[in-house]
Amino acid sequence: MKVYVRGIGFLLFTLFTAYSMAQTMHTPKQATWVAKDFKFHTGEVLSEVKLGYTTLGEPTGIPVLILHGTAGTGSGMLNPAFGGQLFGPGQALDANKYFIILPDAIGMGASSKPSDGLRAKFPKYNYDDMVSGQYRLVTEGLGLKHLHLV
């Protein structure tokens, strides 16, 4: 019986914590910015490359760019094990204080990818191109001159 009561208590604590986080967590905003005349490391140029991204917090907050280190989407960083531990009130990157930018890599999410229509004619891309796209998104798309943290 004692184990059963502890289990119920743990369940209620977990549900209350999840509910509290849901009530105080900023709503993620997803958007796409189009980079004109995007030059890939191969020298190939596409007239337009879409760069998808997710943000948390207000654009007036301290800007922080979170990169996932592999091909993926920015919204993938919102999972409870990562974003749930960083972006909530009082946490290290509290979205009430920081403007958190979570870009999609080229080839993933809302960013341009071969499957959008070009298929095999899509330029070969690598991390250099992903970084170039993220730089352009931050500087040209969002108009930021300085990031507090990458």
Side-chain angles (χ1 to χ4, degrees):
M1 182 70 170
K2 196 175 195 180
V3 172
Y4 178 73
V5 172
R6 281 187 185 166
I8 295 290
F10 178 75
L11 178 64
L12 289 174
F13 174 77
T14 303
L15 290 173
F16 177 75
T17 302
Y19 177 77
S20 296
M21 280 184 61
Q23 297 304 310
T24 57
M25 190 73 131
H26 277 264
T27 302
K29 296 175 187 147
Q30 294 186 321
T32 303
W33 178 73
V34 177
K36 303 287 186 186
D37 300 318
F38 191 91
K39 185 175 182 177
F40 289 81
H41 77 281
T42 59
E44 295 171 273
V45 176
L46 284 182
S47 61
E48 293 186 344
V49 168
K50 295 182 301 179
L51 298 166
Y53 63 99
T54 302
T55 62
L56 284 171
E58 297 301 321
T60 54
I62 301 167
V64 171
L65 180 66
I66 304 286
L67 304 174
H68 33 71
T70 169
T73 64
S75 61
M77 304 304 282
L78 297 175
N79 66 61
F82 187 84
Q85 302 299 313
L86 286 176
F87 306 142
Q91 293 175 328
L93 294 174
D94 184 338
N96 290 309
K97 180 178 178 183
Y98 295 95
F99 179 55
I100 301 157
I101 307 156
L102 307 161
D104 295 347
I106 291 175
M108 301 297 290
S111 292
S112 291
K113 53 189 143 309
S115 62
D116 289 342
L118 289 177
R119 308 245 184 267
K121 293 179 183 174
F122 193 88
K124 303 290 183 252
Y125 60 96
N126 64 16
Y127 283 121
D128 292 338
D129 302 311
M130 293 176 193
V131 170
S132 176
Q134 292 159 351
Y135 177 80
R136 288 190 62 185
L137 167 65
V138 168
T139 59
E140 297 172 37
L142 297 173
L144 298 172
K145 304 281 186 244
H146 177 77
L147 292 170
H148 180 73
L149 177 69
V150 177

